[in-house]
């Protein structure tokens, strides 16, 4: 196999190579013979289909599949022979008129020099789940299941208030006639702060007016940046009624028999899983910041950074859509605002891969299985989730990449100069 590699930039390479024709023909011939033995074609007995018929029906498809497989195999072999470390996916195109001649353009991992993680200084946060954290979670669950009961008194924080409102901004009345009906939970922050506070102390049937200066970026365009006289009338005040933590309450969360101790044990398991993830996120960020500070001078592959920036734009758009925000068409250069964080992401990702390669770190199957079971435990049918991952290569590859990254982060943190900082559970899960 003849291969030539040339540099077209500090980190960009162009490789020209040709596929071995004999190997391609051998593979195609073998596959066609296999099909001839198993193909079922009307008018012919199984195993007796003429070679020419098989070639006419399957030849083009078989050759395309063989060409694709041999292309990947040949390129990967050439990369190994040339001792190249690719950064991102290559772009492979035909070269000239020949079917078997190709040129691949790709970027390579930069030279990081001596990667000595012992020089890094890392703060490793620790935390544990306490009985008080479990109590707080049970209280949160009670709040989620609360009901409301009408009361004959002034509203206070935590009450649900049904109300009618109308506003006057200069000569404009909103709505033009009548009022708008709605409800809010005092303390929730759903309504503008001044309006919500004006409701405190009002009982059913009472009214009040409050002058509000809405900010220029207020979500209601008709009110944004204007001084408005808001009139409110309370039509009902209801106070929350929390359920008792009894067997019925416990059973409603899937704990058979309503055993409170089992309920608390399940909550502890869930909180510990959440805590483990939060501590790893903190450690990943801590190690990442140290790597960025130590190797920010190293040039990154420009195309890889740009692709990462464009991916971050797409992620931001998808997140906005999930939150119900109106998403406008962005200009093609929108990714330019993400180039700096994208460069940092690429830097950390390449360094993590380089540390794994140089130190021969291998993916631990046990850790993959543990992580998969943790993920699955958050679903009602854990075994179905596990089966889904095992039968979906894309899902499993993503899981393995995540676990491998966590292994390397742990490996770096253990060998770096590190200090421990204890946090409470609530502090640890707070970003």
């Amino acid at each position: 196999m003849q291969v030539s590699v040339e540099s077209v930039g500090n980190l960009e390479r162009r490789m020209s190579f040709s596929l071995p024709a004999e190997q391609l023909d051998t593979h195609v011939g073998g596959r066609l013979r296999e099909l001839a033995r198993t193909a079922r074609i009307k008018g012919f007995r199984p195993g007796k289909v003429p070679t020419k018929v098989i070639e006419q029906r399957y030849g083009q498809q078989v050759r395309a599949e063989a060409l694709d497989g041999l292309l990947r195999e040949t390129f990967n072999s050439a990369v190994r022979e040339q001792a190249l470390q690719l950064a991102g996916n290559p772009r492979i195109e035909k070269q000239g008129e020949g079917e078997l001649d190709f040129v691949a353009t790709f970027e390579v991992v930069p030279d990081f020099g001596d990667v000595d993680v012992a020089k890094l200084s890392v703060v490793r946060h620790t935390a544990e789940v306490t009985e008080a954290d479990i109590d707080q979670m049970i209280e949160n669950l009670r709040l989620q299941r609360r009901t409301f009961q009408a009361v004959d008194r002034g509203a206070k924080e935590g009450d649900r208030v049904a109300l009618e409102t109308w506003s006057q901004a200069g000569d404009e009345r909103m709505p033009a006639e009548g009022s708008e009906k709605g409800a809010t939970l005092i303390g929730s922050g759903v309504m503008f702060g001044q309006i919500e506070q004006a409701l405190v102390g009002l009982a059913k049937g009472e009214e009040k007016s409050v002058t509000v200066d809405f900010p220029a970026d207020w979500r209601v365009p008709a009110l944004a940046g204007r001084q408005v006289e808001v009139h409110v009338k309370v039509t009902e005040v209801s106070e929350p009624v929390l359920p008792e933590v009894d067997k019925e309450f416990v059973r409603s969360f899937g704990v058979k028999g309503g055993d409170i101790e089992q309920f608390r044990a399940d909550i502890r398991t869930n909180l510990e899983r959440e805590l483990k993830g939060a501590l790893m996120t903190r450690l990943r960020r801590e190690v990442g910041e140290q790597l960025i500070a130590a190797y920010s001078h190293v040039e990154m592959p420009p195309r890889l950074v740009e692709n990462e920036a464009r991916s971050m734009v797409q992620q931001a758009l998808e997140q906005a859509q999930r939150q119900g925000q109106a998403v406008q068409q962005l200009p093609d250069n929108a990714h330019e605002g993400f180039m700096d964080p994208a460069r940092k992401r690429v830097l950390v990702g390449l360094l993590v891969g380089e540390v794994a390669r140089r130190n021969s770190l291998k993916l631990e199957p046990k850790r993959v299985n543990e992580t998969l079971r943790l993920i699955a435990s958050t679903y009602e049918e854990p075994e179905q989730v596990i089966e889904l991952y095992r039968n979906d290569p894309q899902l499993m590859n993503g899981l393995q990449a995540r676990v491998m990254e966590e292994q390397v982060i742990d490996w770096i943190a253990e060998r770096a100069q590190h200090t421990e900082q204890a946090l409470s559970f609530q502090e640890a899960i707070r970003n």
Side-chain angles (χ1 to χ4, degrees):
M1 176 177 61
Q2 292 185 347
V3 176
S4 66
V5 179
E6 60 178 317
S7 298
V8 290
N10 290 344
L11 296 174
E12 189 171 8
R13 303 290 182 269
R14 181 183 291 121
M15 176 192 292
S16 299
F17 62 99
S18 299
L19 304 185
E22 290 185 3
Q23 189 173 344
L24 176 63
D25 292 338
T26 299
H27 185 95
V28 171
R31 179 60 179 147
L32 289 175
R33 286 192 293 274
E34 181 182 331
L35 286 170
R37 291 194 298 271
T38 59
R40 293 182 177 275
I41 298 177
K42 189 175 182 180
F44 300 96
R45 287 181 296 166
K48 299 298 183 180
V49 182
T51 303
K52 182 175 291 187
V53 174
I54 292 293
E55 289 179 352
Q56 289 175 343
R57 178 162 294 195
Y58 301 108
Q60 187 174 357
Q61 177 186 344
V62 167
R63 188 171 185 82
E65 292 174 353
L67 189 63
D68 183 63
L70 186 58
L71 176 60
R72 290 196 302 270
E73 180 184 329
T74 304
F75 174 75
N76 292 337
S77 177
V79 167
R80 288 192 296 271
E81 288 180 7
Q82 299 291 324
L84 296 168
Q85 295 293 322
L86 269 62
N89 296 320
R91 183 173 66 251
I92 304 178
E93 301 169 321
K94 282 188 177 181
Q95 186 177 37
E97 300 297 326
E99 180 191 27
L100 305 182
D101 298 325
F102 292 86
V103 60
T105 306
F106 51 88
E107 292 176 319
V108 295
V109 175
D111 181 8
F112 288 105
D114 179 30
V115 182
D116 185 1
V117 299
K119 296 178 180 179
L120 304 180
S121 180
V122 175
V123 176
R124 191 159 199 163
H125 297 97
T126 61
E128 62 180 20
V129 176
T130 66
E131 291 298 309
D133 295 320
I134 297 174
D135 291 338
Q136 182 61 56
M137 177 52 67
I138 292 176
E139 191 64 19
N140 293 342
L141 295 175
R142 292 179 71 204
L143 283 171
Q144 291 175 13
R145 297 291 178 90
R146 68 186 181 275
T147 57
F148 287 89
Q149 178 176 295
V151 292
D152 187 18
R153 59 166 173 76
K156 61 182 181 179
E157 186 162 344
D159 286 344
R160 185 176 67 189
V161 178
L163 67 157
E164 297 176 354
T165 65
W166 63 273
S167 305
Q168 188 76 39
D171 296 332
E172 183 180 3
R173 188 186 193 280
M174 295 171 283
E177 295 181 359
S179 59
E180 296 178 339
K181 296 181 180 181
T184 190
L185 192 68
I186 297 182
S188 66
V190 172
M191 297 189 74
F192 194 75
Q194 285 179 261
I195 303 175
E196 187 177 276
Q197 284 304 308
L199 298 174
V200 175
L202 295 185
K204 180 179 179 179
E206 294 183 339
E207 302 181 41
K208 192 173 187 178
S209 295
V210 58
T211 302
V212 178
D213 292 313
F214 286 98
D217 60 350
W218 184 241
R219 61 177 178 264
V220 183
L223 302 176
R226 305 179 71 180
Q227 186 177 79
V228 181
E229 190 78 12
V230 180
H231 302 263
V232 297
K233 178 180 180 181
V234 173
T235 58
E236 187 172 75
V237 176
S238 301
E239 66 180 5
V241 179
L242 274 61
E244 294 296 325
V245 183
D246 53 18
K247 287 189 175 182
E248 182 180 353
F249 178 78
V250 172
R251 278 197 295 266
S252 71
F253 290 94
V255 180
K256 295 180 179 179
D259 182 16
I260 184 63
E261 291 307 316
Q262 182 60 52
F263 184 45
R264 295 182 67 88
D266 290 348
I267 291 175
R268 175 177 288 279
T269 298
N270 291 334
L271 294 183
E272 288 176 345
R273 179 178 59 248
E274 183 180 2
L275 178 60
K276 181 179 180 180
L279 291 176
M280 174 50 69
T281 297
R282 284 178 171 271
L283 184 61
R284 185 187 290 110
R285 183 168 58 238
E286 179 74 19
V287 170
E289 289 174 353
Q290 293 298 314
L291 291 174
I292 290 168
Y295 296 93
S296 60
H297 62 282
V298 179
E299 180 183 357
M300 289 295 102
R303 187 153 50 88
L304 187 61
V305 172
E306 181 179 335
N307 290 341
E308 181 65 29
R310 291 186 183 278
S311 176
M312 292 174 72
V313 170
Q314 187 60 38
Q315 291 170 9
L317 286 175
E318 291 173 356
Q319 182 177 1
Q321 289 175 333
R322 287 194 296 270
Q323 294 174 348
Q325 300 176 17
V327 178
Q328 298 179 345
Q329 183 67 33
L330 295 179
D332 188 58
N333 65 347
H335 68 282
E336 293 177 2
F338 289 80
M339 291 295 282
D340 185 58
R343 184 186 182 281
K344 291 177 179 178
R345 272 197 194 182
V346 168
L347 171 60
V348 173
L350 292 180
L351 269 168
V352 165
E354 193 68 0
V355 168
R357 186 184 68 83
R358 293 189 186 189
N359 296 280
S360 302
L361 303 183
K362 304 297 182 184
L363 183 66
E364 299 174 7
K366 180 181 178 181
R367 188 161 178 165
V368 174
N369 290 333
E370 289 176 352
T371 304
L372 178 54
R373 293 203 169 275
L374 279 174
I375 294 171
S377 67
T378 63
Y379 294 85
E380 291 185 3
E381 301 290 343
E383 293 305 319
Q384 290 184 10
V385 176
I386 292 173
E387 192 69 16
L388 174 64
Y389 269 80
R390 298 203 184 282
N391 292 327
D392 189 325
Q394 187 173 357
L395 280 176
M396 184 55 73
N397 288 340
L399 173 64
Q400 291 174 342
R402 166 186 163 183
V403 172
M404 188 66 211
E405 181 190 33
E406 291 180 357
Q407 281 184 218
V408 180
I409 293 295
D410 272 337
W411 190 91
I412 292 173
E414 287 170 4
R415 287 156 181 78
Q417 304 172 42
H418 65 269
T419 56
E420 290 192 354
Q421 180 180 344
L423 301 173
S424 68
F425 172 81
Q426 292 299 330
E427 290 172 332
I429 64 173
R430 198 177 301 131
N431 290 334

